[in-house]
Amino acid sequence: MTDVLQIRQEKRDTLDIVYFSGRLDTNTSLEADETLKRLIASGGLRIILNLGNLDYISSSGLRVIITALRNVKKMHGDLKLACMKPAVREIFQLTGFNRLFSVYDTEDAAIQSFSYVNLDENEQRIMDAVVSTLDIEEERQRAERNLQLSENMYRAIFENTGTAMAIVEDDLTINLANTEFARMVGYKNEEFTEVFSLLSFVVRDDLAMVTEFHDQARKDTEDHPKHFEFRLKDRGGNVKNVYVILDMIEKTPRRVYSLLDITELRKIEEDLQHELIRNEEFFILTAHELRTPLQPVVGYLQLVLEDPDSFGLNADGKAILEKCLQNIDHVRESIEHIIKLSGPGYGPEQILPRFKPHYRLISPRQLLISYIMIIRCSSDIAVDIQVRDDLKINTDSEYFFLIIQSLMVTAIRYSTSPAKIEFSYYDDEINHYFTLRNGSAVIAQEILPNLFRPYHVGNESKLLRKSGFIGLSLPVAKQMAEKLQGDITVTSTPETGTLFTLVLPKSSAPE
């Protein structure tokens, strides 16, 4: 038995004999339909279909043959069937379509008995109805197959993003949650067959904020929040800080929540803020202590130098005091420079040691698609992902996700409308290279050196500032790339726009 359809034609006097071999189904019916239409259009009105080598026929195949019979009858011709195998004959009998055709056991019998039979009006209506019914059935089956394929694809993306995700109804009940979300809240995936409210995992003081963001997502405006942060309480009562990407599912009241556990990063951020305040206070006190004793010295020197004769000061003595005053000014200037140049000793290199990468095989394209589907950029920003479906790399999925998020936010921040953001990939023997290009984004040359400097945090929306979350900056993204033994570089010109390049080694190994 073959999975394809083979078609052969012969001409015998005024008869056309068409041989079908193999399977006549959805995948092969188009070829059969075109063959018969061409034959009829060329004047072939006395046709025999030899089905002796046809192993299987589906509803799509039946539609093709009935359509051919209808068309040839309209042109005062005829079409007969011969040599059907028992399995094919049984299909015709079960559907009742054998009554529409003249069926013969042998090809010779079909040739000898060939004559034209008029198609009356009632038969025409019956045949038209049969063809229409088969067309509808075929379209229904095709739609069901496409729907099943789409559902399987989206479920695979949803389950394998490496990020905790949940689909939440309008009343905040959880409709569907993936394994990562279940693990985050301390449940097994199968336990989510019960009805849970998202609010049951929210710390009491954050309930109003989560409800507000959830409601605002329904408005689907440019100002509605897509990112925020709240405190999550898991099954064991442990409190976690989570960063949320939120969006609506089009034409439904449901929302997609994507959550990242940033508890460790939040703790580090708080430690950093305390360290910044402590160091700032230290430098203020140091400046005061250094400047205070100099003030009276400067005052006395200026008093003497303004009236040297009153103090019996000769020219050499005045020159010496003027030199002292100059040196004191240099000391004061040096103090100012030291205070300006001395920053807190808690930079990005100290931010991540407690946030160790966890390596596993991931699909970059699936993570990118997941992020773009969730963030759903505005209509004037198009995103093109040019990364292979079969590409797999060994890295930390959350690090990769957060790095891409930082690069994406920066590319959009400096963008003008309309914009097109392109993700692409290439490699060599040593490294993977992921590039993000935005031709409409131009970063001023004086800003470029600051993008990866410590504490350079871009402006966030008023709503984010209201929630007190400053976001993940490019210095942290670069430090994450370095933790993965890679790097991030950037170029930006008015001619080419902005290009970020994330380099990750192929031989990555856990630290």
Side-chain angles (χ1 to χ4, degrees):
M1 181 181 294
T2 178
D3 291 333
V4 298
L5 178 68
Q6 296 178 346
I7 303 174
R8 182 169 61 88
Q9 294 179 239
E10 287 187 7
K11 187 77 172 180
R12 296 191 190 177
D13 297 329
T14 62
L15 297 179
D16 288 283
I17 304 177
V18 181
Y19 298 87
F20 284 164
S21 302
R23 293 174 62 89
L24 184 52
D25 54 22
T26 302
N27 297 323
T28 60
S29 60
L30 179 60
E31 181 184 2
D33 188 46
E34 290 177 348
T35 298
L36 294 175
K37 284 180 178 178
R38 284 196 302 268
L39 179 59
I40 296 171
S42 65
L45 303 180
R46 295 161 62 84
I47 303 172
I48 295 174
L49 294 186
N50 188 320
L51 308 182
N53 291 318
L54 189 67
D55 300 310
Y56 173 77
I57 186 169
S58 69
S59 60
S60 300
L62 292 172
R63 179 185 59 80
V64 169
I65 295 177
I66 292 173
T67 300
L69 176 63
R70 180 183 60 175
N71 292 339
V72 78
K73 290 271 190 176
K74 286 181 179 179
M75 300 179 68
H76 307 292
D78 203 356
L79 181 148
K80 299 185 178 183
L81 308 180
C83 307
M84 284 195 291
K85 287 185 175 181
V88 175
R89 183 186 295 272
E90 183 179 0
I91 293 174
F92 273 86
Q93 291 173 344
L94 289 173
T95 57
F97 294 160
N98 60 316
R99 295 192 293 270
L100 299 175
F101 294 91
S102 298
V103 182
Y104 298 90
D105 292 334
T106 66
E107 183 180 294
D108 289 339
I111 293 173
Q112 293 172 7
S113 64
F114 204 99
S115 63
Y116 170 68
V117 179
N118 285 320
L119 186 67
D120 61 31
E121 184 177 348
N122 186 53
E123 290 175 322
Q124 179 69 53
R125 285 198 303 268
I126 293 173
M127 200 166 294
D128 289 343
V130 169
V131 172
S132 297
T133 300
L134 290 173
D135 285 341
I136 294 172
E137 176 64 17
E138 182 182 9
E139 186 63 31
R140 183 190 65 79
Q141 292 178 356
R142 185 182 298 112
E144 287 181 351
R145 286 194 299 271
N146 291 338
L147 181 62
Q148 186 62 47
L149 288 174
S150 297
E151 182 178 348
N152 291 342
M153 180 186 70
Y154 284 112
R155 281 186 177 273
I157 293 174
F158 182 78
E159 182 60 37
N160 296 297
T161 59
T163 303
M165 296 182 67
I167 296 176
V168 180
E169 300 285 357
D170 196 44
D171 62 356
L172 283 159
T173 57
I174 298 173
N175 175 273
L176 182 65
N178 67 1
T179 303
E180 290 295 329
F181 182 89
R183 184 181 296 116
M184 177 179 285
V185 296
Y187 284 80
K188 296 180 180 178
N189 207 4
E190 55 268 20
E191 292 181 284
F192 270 91
T193 55
E194 303 177 23
V195 177
F196 288 91
S197 170
L198 179 67
L199 296 181
S200 63
F201 302 112
V202 178
V203 172
R204 179 181 300 176
D205 291 344
D206 291 348
L207 289 173
M209 180 183 65
V210 172
T211 303
E212 176 189 355
F213 276 88
H214 186 84
D215 291 341
Q216 288 191 31
R218 187 192 299 111
K219 298 176 182 178
D220 197 24
T221 63
E222 292 184 359
D223 297 330
H224 98 259
K226 294 180 182 293
H227 311 257
F228 70 101
E229 176 187 343
F230 71 87
R231 288 170 297 171
L232 178 145
K233 180 178 62 177
D234 67 14
R235 190 178 197 174
N238 302 304
V239 175
K240 304 175 182 179
N241 289 89
V242 292
Y243 175 65
V244 181
I245 301 171
L246 169 64
D247 207 353
M248 295 289 296
I249 299 179
E250 291 187 6
K251 299 180 180 179
T252 76
R254 294 173 179 171
R255 299 150 181 77
V256 177
Y257 279 74
S258 179
L259 301 91
L260 296 174
D261 185 350
I262 60 167
T263 305
E264 193 67 23
L265 290 177
R266 190 60 162 166
K267 177 63 169 60
I268 294 170
E269 179 186 313
E270 291 174 359
D271 292 345
L272 176 59
Q273 293 297 334
H274 290 311
E275 186 70 13
L276 286 171
I277 293 172
R278 189 184 69 82
N279 286 343
E280 183 179 358
E281 292 174 349
F282 169 79
F283 285 118
I284 292 173
L285 291 173
T286 301
H288 177 73
E289 293 297 325
L290 290 174
R291 291 182 184 129
T292 299
L294 293 178
Q295 292 302 118
V297 176
V298 171
Y300 287 130
L301 286 174
Q302 289 176 341
L303 179 64
V304 172
L305 290 173
E306 287 175 359
D307 190 9
D309 294 336
S310 299
F311 294 94
L313 191 64
N314 59 24
D316 290 338
K318 181 180 178 181
I320 292 173
L321 293 182
E322 286 177 344
K323 188 67 174 178
C324 289
L325 185 60
Q326 289 177 1
N327 287 334
I328 290 174
D329 287 337
H330 287 317
V331 171
R332 294 170 67 185
E333 185 177 348
S334 297
I335 293 171
E336 296 295 334
H337 281 298
I338 290 172
I339 292 172
K340 290 179 180 178
L341 296 176
S342 298
Y346 202 83
E349 64 275 7
Q350 278 80 41
I351 287 181
L352 297 171
R354 289 180 285 168
F355 196 92
K356 298 295 184 182
H358 301 288
Y359 287 81
R360 65 187 182 94
L361 206 61
I362 69 165
S363 168
R365 180 175 176 84
Q366 282 193 357
L367 285 177
L368 288 169
I369 290 175
S370 172
Y371 177 71
I372 299 307
M373 286 174 60
I374 294 168
I375 192 173
R376 197 178 66 181
C377 295
S378 59
S379 58
D380 59 349
I381 298 178
V383 180
D384 183 18
I385 301 175
Q386 301 174 9
V387 180
R388 302 195 317 267
D389 285 324
D390 60 346
L391 177 65
K392 296 290 191 298
I393 66 172
N394 187 34
T395 190
D396 184 293
S397 61
E398 289 196 4
Y399 271 54
F400 187 90
F401 192 99
L402 291 172
I403 291 171
I404 292 301
Q405 183 250 349
S406 296
L407 300 183
M408 186 77 173
V409 168
T410 304
I412 293 175
R413 179 183 302 144
Y414 292 98
S415 179
T416 58
S417 298
K420 181 179 180 181
I421 296 175
E422 298 177 350
F423 286 99
S424 60
Y425 167 82
Y426 65 95
D427 67 345
D428 56 25
E429 294 181 357
I430 300 174
N431 295 317
H432 302 286
Y433 298 88
F434 296 91
T435 64
L436 185 154
R437 181 187 298 276
N438 187 348
S440 67
V442 179
I443 303 176
Q445 295 303 306
E446 60 269 20
I447 295 178
L448 278 177
N450 294 325
L451 286 179
F452 298 108
R453 288 182 59 186
Y455 322 120
H456 181 77
V457 180
N459 293 327
E460 298 294 336
S461 68
K462 293 180 180 179
L463 203 53
L464 291 183
R465 289 201 298 272
K466 175 183 176 182
S467 67
F469 179 59
I470 64 173
L472 293 170
S473 63
L474 282 179
V476 176
K478 187 177 180 70
Q479 194 68 20
M480 284 182 171
E482 292 173 354
K483 276 290 183 182
L484 296 174
Q485 306 171 36
D487 195 13
I488 300 174
T489 60
V490 59
T491 60
S492 186
T493 66
E495 294 78 17
T496 61
T498 297
L499 175 68
F500 286 99
T501 302
L502 169 62
V503 184
L504 296 176
K506 290 185 175 180
S507 59
S508 296
E511 294 185 356

